[in-house]
Amino acid sequence: MKTSAPGRACGIATVLLSLLAVLHTSTPQKNDIDIYSLTVDSRVSSRFAHTVVTSRVVNKADVVQEATFQVELPKRAFITNFSMIIDGVTYPGNIKEKAAAQEQYSTAVARGESAGLIKATGRKMEQFQVSVNVAPSAKVTFELVYEELLKRRLEVYELLLKVQPQQLVKHLQMDIHIFEPQGISFLETESTFMTNELADALTISRNKTKAHIRFKPTLSQQKSPGQEDTVLNGNFIIRYDVNRTLSGGSIQIENGYFVHYFAPEGLPTIPKNVIFVIDKSGSMLGRKIQQTREALIKILDDLSPRDQFNLISFSGDATQWKPLLVPASAEDVNQARRYVAGIQAQGGTNINDAMLMAVQLLSNANRQELLPAGSVSLIILLTDGDPTVGETNPARIQKNVQEAIAGQYSLFCLGFGFDVSYAFLEKMALDNGGLARRIYEDSDSALQLQDFYQEVANPLLTAVTFEYPSNAVEEVSQDNFRLLFKGSEIVVAGKLQDQSPDVLSAKVRGHLHMQNITFQTEIRVAEKEEEFQSPKYIFHSFMERLWAYLTIQQLLEKMILASDAEKQALETRALNLSLQYSFVTPLTSMVVTKPEGEERSEVAEKPVETENERRHFHLDCVCVNFSKAGPSGKAPGNPGRLGPQGPVHSPSHHLTYHGVRDLLLPDMLLAPSTPDEVDLRIKARVPAIPSDTMTHRHQERKPSGSSADTSQPAKTDSPPAPIQAPPVILTLPGQSVNPLCVDIKHSQGPMNLLSDPDQGVEVTGQYETEKAQFSWIEVTFKNPQLQVRASPEHVVVTRNRRNSAYKWKETLFSVTPGLNMTMDKAGLLLLSSPDKVTIGLLPWDGPGEGLRLLLRDTDRFSSHVGGTLGQFYQGVLWGPPAAADDSRRTLSVQGRDYSATRLLKLDYQEGSPGTEISCWSVEL
């Protein structure tokens, strides 16, 4: 991989896009519909992403074939254009008010024409799909355009492209241009399909404010080794951040519009009073309550000593852990952990009483002046179902809670799974200055809960207001906000008046813990406008579209809370903006009319959130899916596609646009680097073993030092036990003898396996002697500040309070400043960096199954390395073989003697089934 100007990590920003190109085959001839060109052009200008996906296909068959273009895109993205070019004729999509679009669709169907209708109704993921018949040798070009304001979450902007063409593509190219006037502080890249060969197709160039990432693999680079299939199958991620200071933010101007980004660095965190309201009804039984307990214990550990907290669990009735809020002292947190560990699921769901109890706890503390001055009070509700006990009317519960809170506290609602009314939770949260989030039932549900908490764990400012001169700006978006949290960003946009002053000033006011604060900034309009005039790849007039996009999103949110009378005015304004700027929103639809003679009528709708309850889901990404079918028009399922296979679409419904559950994707940690920094080919250091030993390995435990005749199999009453893989294999620097196999026989609690302060790395683990395996291994790096925790289930990477979960045996190629992470299909995870020791983790499933640790480049350890395993890199002294048995020796480490026996063991370092090796076995 080519790169320039590696960045420094200092976290702050977020972008979300993705691409999935899938070819479904329905005949033995795989490439009848050939994707000969697939391009993605994404231009990110000051957080506003304008993405164009273009696919060109040709029908190589002798009969008519059907080509299908399918895209999944984020809820927050608005489609702005779609077109098909067939036989040189362009068939554009027309964005209209829903009623007018429906009328045009019905008229087209009545005339016998084929038309496609696309509707948007606000869901995390939405699906767009269009099919068209392609004559023999004919070509079709599909082009989809969508736009999104990239939202900052846990200090990162993230651009995700999912690549899965399912065939070799002659011209496959992705170009991502980023321009940030504030300056790009770091840039990371990651892929789940990248190899050393493919890494050469990735180029990254950047300077202070601009970055260009290009991925352009050749046909030979796309091929799987020894096959004609493509290796492109997975995620391609770009993550970046911008420079920030303790100031009034960054104001940027383009073509008469301005945008103000506010996320000051260096502010102290405000103490908080938080009450966790946890559903323990019968529907939470099993995995959900287990994951909730796990997440809560982690969250309790993250509370600041300055915080106060309490816990309420509820089913048919509600129970509070303590009568009052308690400080987050070590003693109280430990008591709370024990309480959480004992929560069991049973009974009904009484949300009303539980919420009123939480409000009463805060109100009583407030009246008794037990809440610290200037602190922030939060209520976090987690539930997986609708109310079934007590007050069960959602509207009355919302009213009761809003009247009780009375604007004093912020409420955040987490809906676990799809059996809960998300609309009910969303309105209740928005009514009370918070937000709602769905938690998806999956292996990473506990991490989703933890990540949500991290988003609201560190309040920085309250009552944030933006002020601009009335003679300078107009049509300003929302300019007052209840809270600013660490890791987020407030965005305000507006229009400059025609006769506005040459200098634009702005004030941002807010409350810190114990004082008010005012940020003031001034900019020269002409100078700021010049910033966006020179870059050739900037999508000009983007700031006007950014303003319209932001205004529409805020109007749609206000409609959730508005009365019927207010809602009509809000809807009218949002509709007019949607039509003026050609956005497919919940109020508009796109009609795509195809050539005459197409018999199938097509309807695409974008359902509201409540319509997505209890539906199946795909991954949270933008996916582009190309499929083909035979003359019958039937497209078969694709076994290689991620997510559950949906039903085959009937001929009467070929254009669809529907919601997809927003399963959280792992945030991956990468950055520019060079191709030789990561070597995915693991070379095991296996000493030669005599052929007779290999032949009779089950009869001879000691590979040397015995005069026993091994020419005939040993006679035994029962077969010998299979050779096991040791917990750890160590290859010592400059070692001329066999490797060291370490068996851990005595372990109590977490072990410090190795630590090297000079290398900035520490490895700890929990070893279960009864199972003879590690239950977890944790690797902590100082630079970059990052933690990798491996368990038999998965790997979790934590950086900047952000958790990323990876399943074993899913390939990963991640490069971030100071660390490379790779995982192959065998599950071997390598953590490496130039001039540092390489640490490997492996889910061994052979004899003696469990997690395994391996070390490479151990000559790079410093003289300060220590720990249970690290001690063996501190000058091991080997004694001579025993006189009577040369399979036994003594080794001395830091004045302590260990007895070593040469045995046959399985080398797990290249994965299952392993290779038998002769090694010196030491028991600890």
Side-chain angles (χ1 to χ4, degrees):
M1 179 174 62
K2 304 168 188 175
T3 183
S4 65
R8 58 185 178 82
C10 70
I12 298 181
T14 327
V15 183
L16 179 59
L17 313 167
S18 25
L19 169 74
L20 166 60
V22 180
L23 178 73
H24 295 292
T25 60
S26 60
T27 68
Q29 298 177 337
K30 291 182 66 176
N31 294 325
D32 290 347
I33 293 292
D34 178 45
I35 309 169
Y36 63 89
S37 176
L38 172 60
T39 63
V40 180
D41 184 78
S42 187
R43 306 182 183 194
V44 184
S45 308
S46 186
R47 281 74 136 188
F48 194 67
H50 174 87
T51 301
V52 182
V53 180
T54 306
S55 169
R56 293 178 171 86
V57 304
V58 60
N59 180 10
K60 291 186 174 182
D62 297 330
V63 295
V64 173
Q65 296 284 315
E66 184 179 73
T68 299
F69 177 75
Q70 179 180 304
V71 180
E72 291 177 24
L73 61 155
K75 166 192 170 183
R76 293 184 61 83
F78 289 156
I79 289 177
T80 65
N81 188 43
F82 171 74
S83 65
M84 296 183 294
I85 302 176
I86 306 172
D87 294 332
V89 179
T90 299
Y91 298 87
N94 298 309
I95 296 176
K96 300 187 175 185
E97 183 181 1
K98 278 188 175 180
Q102 183 66 48
E103 181 180 353
Q104 180 178 342
Y105 165 75
S106 301
T107 302
V109 172
R111 290 199 308 262
E113 298 177 3
S114 176
L117 181 65
I118 305 171
K119 294 182 179 179
T121 51
R123 184 57 187 89
K124 178 72 174 182
M125 293 301 296
E126 300 145 351
Q127 187 181 83
F128 171 88
Q129 176 176 299
V130 63
S131 301
V132 65
N133 287 333
V134 185
S137 303
K139 296 180 179 180
V140 179
T141 297
F142 301 99
E143 183 175 277
L144 180 73
V145 184
Y146 63 88
E147 295 174 342
E148 180 186 13
L149 177 61
L150 307 173
K151 189 174 182 180
R152 186 180 182 221
R153 191 182 76 85
L154 290 176
E155 304 181 352
V156 292
Y157 297 99
E158 181 177 277
L159 177 64
L160 169 63
L161 303 170
K162 183 172 285 291
V163 186
Q164 195 179 7
Q166 292 290 313
Q167 66 168 253
L168 302 176
V169 180
K170 184 177 181 180
H171 176 225
L172 193 155
Q173 182 169 330
M174 299 180 188
D175 284 283
I176 298 94
H177 294 276
I178 301 172
F179 176 58
E180 291 290 349
Q182 286 178 250
I184 300 171
S185 62
F186 80 93
L187 188 71
E188 301 178 332
T189 63
E190 180 183 285
S191 168
T192 59
F193 59 81
M194 196 75 71
T195 62
N196 283 337
E197 291 73 22
L198 270 176
D200 294 333
L202 178 65
T203 58
I204 301 173
S205 59
R206 56 171 289 201
N207 57 25
K208 182 179 178 181
T209 58
K210 304 173 188 175
H212 178 205
I213 300 96
R214 169 172 289 178
F215 180 62
K216 188 178 181 181
T218 63
L219 281 172
S220 60
Q221 288 173 321
Q222 296 175 43
K223 288 183 180 180
S224 299
Q227 301 181 26
E228 292 300 311
D229 295 331
T230 179
V231 298
L232 303 182
N233 184 352
N235 299 327
F236 180 70
I237 301 170
I238 296 137
R239 210 171 272 111
Y240 77 93
D241 193 10
V242 300
N243 296 318
R244 301 177 192 275
T245 59
L246 181 60
S247 68
S250 172
I251 299 178
Q252 297 162 26
I253 296 176
E254 192 252 356
N255 198 32
Y257 286 79
F258 78 93
V259 61
H260 189 171
Y261 294 108
F262 181 71
E265 284 285 276
L267 291 177
T269 299
I270 300 175
K272 62 182 180 294
N273 316 295
V274 58
I275 297 182
F276 301 97
V277 184
I278 308 303
D279 185 345
K280 63 171 185 177
S281 61
S283 57
M284 290 283 289
L285 187 66
R287 191 182 193 186
K288 285 194 283 190
I289 198 66
Q290 177 185 346
Q291 291 175 322
T292 299
R293 289 194 298 256
E294 177 188 337
L296 271 176
I297 288 172
K298 293 279 189 182
I299 288 170
L300 290 170
D301 288 340
D302 288 336
L303 289 172
S304 166
R306 299 193 305 160
D307 295 338
Q308 293 189 115
F309 75 104
N310 205 337
L311 299 157
I312 292 175
S313 59
F314 70 94
S315 52
D317 52 16
T319 305
Q320 57 192 45
W321 169 56
K322 295 282 188 180
L324 301 171
L325 277 80
V326 298
S329 64
E331 179 181 354
D332 285 319
V333 166
N334 285 333
Q335 288 184 27
R337 285 165 56 96
R338 290 192 291 271
Y339 174 80
V340 167
I343 293 177
Q344 301 297 324
Q346 61 179 352
T349 306
N350 192 336
I351 294 176
N352 187 75
D353 286 1
M355 287 303 305
L356 295 183
M357 179 180 287
V359 177
Q360 191 64 38
L361 269 172
L362 288 171
S363 297
N364 289 343
N366 194 25
R367 281 195 301 270
Q368 298 171 34
E369 299 183 351
L370 298 177
L371 301 181
S375 62
V376 171
S377 296
L378 312 176
I379 300 173
I380 299 178
L381 166 67
L382 171 66
T383 182
D384 78 329
D386 294 335
T388 61
V389 176
E391 179 58 74
T392 59
N393 183 298
R396 282 199 288 267
I397 295 174
Q398 291 166 343
K399 183 174 182 292
N400 293 341
V401 172
Q402 185 175 17
E403 289 178 352
I405 289 179
Q408 299 179 83
Y409 322 119
S410 295
L411 170 62
F412 298 89
C413 297
L414 303 178
F416 205 144
F418 275 74
D419 292 326
V420 64
S421 170
Y422 186 82
F424 160 63
L425 294 181
E426 182 178 40
K427 186 178 188 308
M428 191 161 63
L430 293 175
D431 275 336
N432 298 285
L435 56 87
R437 179 75 54 81
R438 194 185 294 281
I439 302 299
Y440 297 95
E441 297 180 52
D442 208 330
S443 60
D444 70 338
S445 296
L447 294 178
Q448 295 177 52
L449 289 167
Q450 293 172 48
D451 278 352
F452 174 83
Y453 172 74
Q454 289 297 340
E455 290 185 53
V456 300
N458 298 288
L460 302 178
L461 287 174
T462 63
V464 184
T465 60
F466 292 73
E467 299 175 10
Y468 308 97
S470 58
N471 65 337
V473 301
E474 59 187 5
E475 298 187 58
V476 177
S477 63
Q478 180 180 339
D479 58 7
N480 61 89
F481 304 84
R482 181 178 289 197
L483 286 165
L484 170 67
F485 293 102
K486 182 178 181 180
S488 66
E489 180 176 63
I490 294 178
V491 184
V492 177
K495 183 179 180 180
L496 298 179
Q497 293 186 10
D498 292 338
Q499 303 298 324
S500 62
D502 295 335
V503 175
L504 176 63
S505 63
K507 291 182 180 180
V508 183
R509 304 182 190 273
H511 301 312
L512 292 170
H513 177 204
M514 297 296 290
Q515 67 184 71
N516 297 331
I517 187 171
T518 300
F519 298 92
Q520 188 160 349
T521 185
E522 289 186 349
I523 59 161
R524 303 193 70 82
V525 174
E527 291 179 4
K528 284 292 181 179
E529 284 191 315
E530 289 178 1
E531 291 180 336
F532 293 100
Q533 292 175 357
S534 56
K536 295 181 180 179
Y537 57 79
I538 294 300
F539 175 58
H540 292 291
S541 296
F542 79 90
M543 201 163 288
E544 180 178 355
R545 299 187 64 80
L546 184 161
W547 165 81
Y549 171 95
L550 182 63
T551 302
I552 293 170
Q553 290 281 23
Q554 292 175 351
L555 289 169
L556 293 174
E557 185 173 290
K558 288 179 181 178
M559 285 170 59
I560 297 174
L561 305 178
S563 64
D564 291 340
E566 297 170 329
K567 188 175 295 185
Q568 184 57 52
L570 295 170
E571 180 176 325
T572 299
R573 188 177 180 217
L575 172 62
N576 290 338
L577 286 173
S578 300
L579 294 172
Q580 180 181 349
Y581 291 95
S582 296
F583 285 137
V584 178
T585 72
L587 306 175
T588 56
S589 299
M590 177 185 282
V591 177
V592 180
T593 303
K594 300 196 297 187
E596 292 186 15
E598 295 274 351
E599 296 179 356
R600 302 175 184 86
S601 62
E602 300 179 339
V603 179
E605 294 192 353
K606 192 176 182 182
V608 295
E609 173 69 29
T610 53
E611 292 174 355
N612 291 308
E613 308 289 348
R614 304 169 180 86
R615 290 192 177 185
H616 71 279
F617 65 93
H618 297 290
L619 293 180
D620 180 8
C621 59
V622 181
C623 304
V624 181
N625 173 3
F626 302 92
S627 65
K628 68 166 188 169
S632 66
K634 295 180 180 179
N638 174 26
R641 182 176 177 181
L642 292 176
Q645 177 64 49
V648 176
H649 297 291
S650 66
S652 63
H653 293 84
H654 280 268
L655 178 58
T656 59
Y657 195 11
H658 60 76
V660 179
R661 283 177 62 181
D662 54 346
L663 176 67
L664 298 179
L665 284 176
D667 295 316
M668 305 175 184
L669 311 165
L670 307 162
S673 185
T674 55
D676 57 353
E677 288 182 351
V678 178
D679 187 358
L680 292 177
R681 296 165 294 181
I682 312 306
K683 301 175 182 177
R685 302 168 184 173
V686 182
I689 299 178
S691 60
D692 61 337
T693 303
M694 293 298 292
T695 304
H696 305 292
R697 52 186 176 268
H698 292 300
Q699 286 73 41
E700 182 59 65
R701 300 293 93 185
K702 300 177 181 178
S704 63
S706 173
S707 59
D709 181 7
T710 59
S711 61
Q712 298 294 328
K715 296 180 180 180
T716 59
D717 294 331
S718 60
I723 297 175
Q724 300 286 308
V728 181
I729 297 175
L730 302 179
T731 302
L732 305 183
Q735 181 177 317
S736 59
V737 295
N738 298 137
L740 195 65
C741 293
V742 180
D743 281 314
I744 302 172
K745 299 297 185 182
H746 306 284
S747 173
Q748 292 183 352
M751 303 172 63
N752 177 15
L753 298 176
L754 68 87
S755 60
D756 190 334
D758 294 358
Q759 289 270 306
V761 64
E762 181 178 32
V763 181
T764 55
Q766 177 82 51
Y767 189 79
E768 299 181 15
T769 53
E770 291 183 0
K771 296 182 179 180
Q773 61 179 259
F774 286 101
S775 57
W776 57 265
I777 298 175
E778 192 168 272
V779 185
T780 303
F781 296 93
K782 290 184 178 179
N783 187 23
Q785 291 187 356
L786 181 145
Q787 187 180 80
V788 179
R789 185 182 178 94
S791 67
E793 294 75 31
H794 55 213
V795 177
V796 177
V797 178
T798 302
R799 182 178 182 184
N800 291 337
R801 302 177 294 120
R802 187 165 32 94
N803 295 302
S804 304
Y806 305 91
K807 294 181 179 179
W808 291 109
K809 302 184 180 181
E810 291 186 353
T811 54
L812 173 67
F813 190 99
S814 165
V815 184
T816 193
L819 181 68
N820 304 336
M821 286 194 302
T822 65
M823 188 191 300
D824 60 21
K825 291 186 179 297
L828 178 59
L829 175 68
L830 289 180
L831 311 170
S832 62
S833 181
D835 304 321
K836 290 187 178 180
V837 175
T838 296
I839 298 172
L841 301 170
L842 180 71
W844 172 254
D845 52 12
E849 64 181 358
L851 290 177
R852 292 295 188 268
L853 173 70
L854 56 130
L855 303 173
R856 297 283 182 264
D857 308 312
T858 53
D859 55 332
R860 297 174 179 173
F861 274 127
S862 75
S863 58
H864 299 109
V865 64
T868 302
L869 304 178
Q871 63 177 328
F872 292 103
Y873 296 93
Q874 282 278 28
V876 173
L877 298 177
W878 287 90
D885 187 353
D886 63 3
S887 67
R888 296 183 180 276
R889 299 180 70 175
T890 300
L891 70 158
S892 298
V893 181
Q894 296 180 329
R896 182 173 180 179
D897 292 341
Y898 292 93
S899 176
T901 304
R902 188 164 52 185
L903 299 174
L904 283 178
K905 295 284 187 178
L906 277 183
D907 185 356
Y908 55 75
Q909 296 176 95
E910 291 191 37
S912 199
T915 306
E916 292 184 10
I917 59 170
S918 173
C919 69
W920 291 100
S921 181
V922 174
E923 293 185 0
L924 299 180

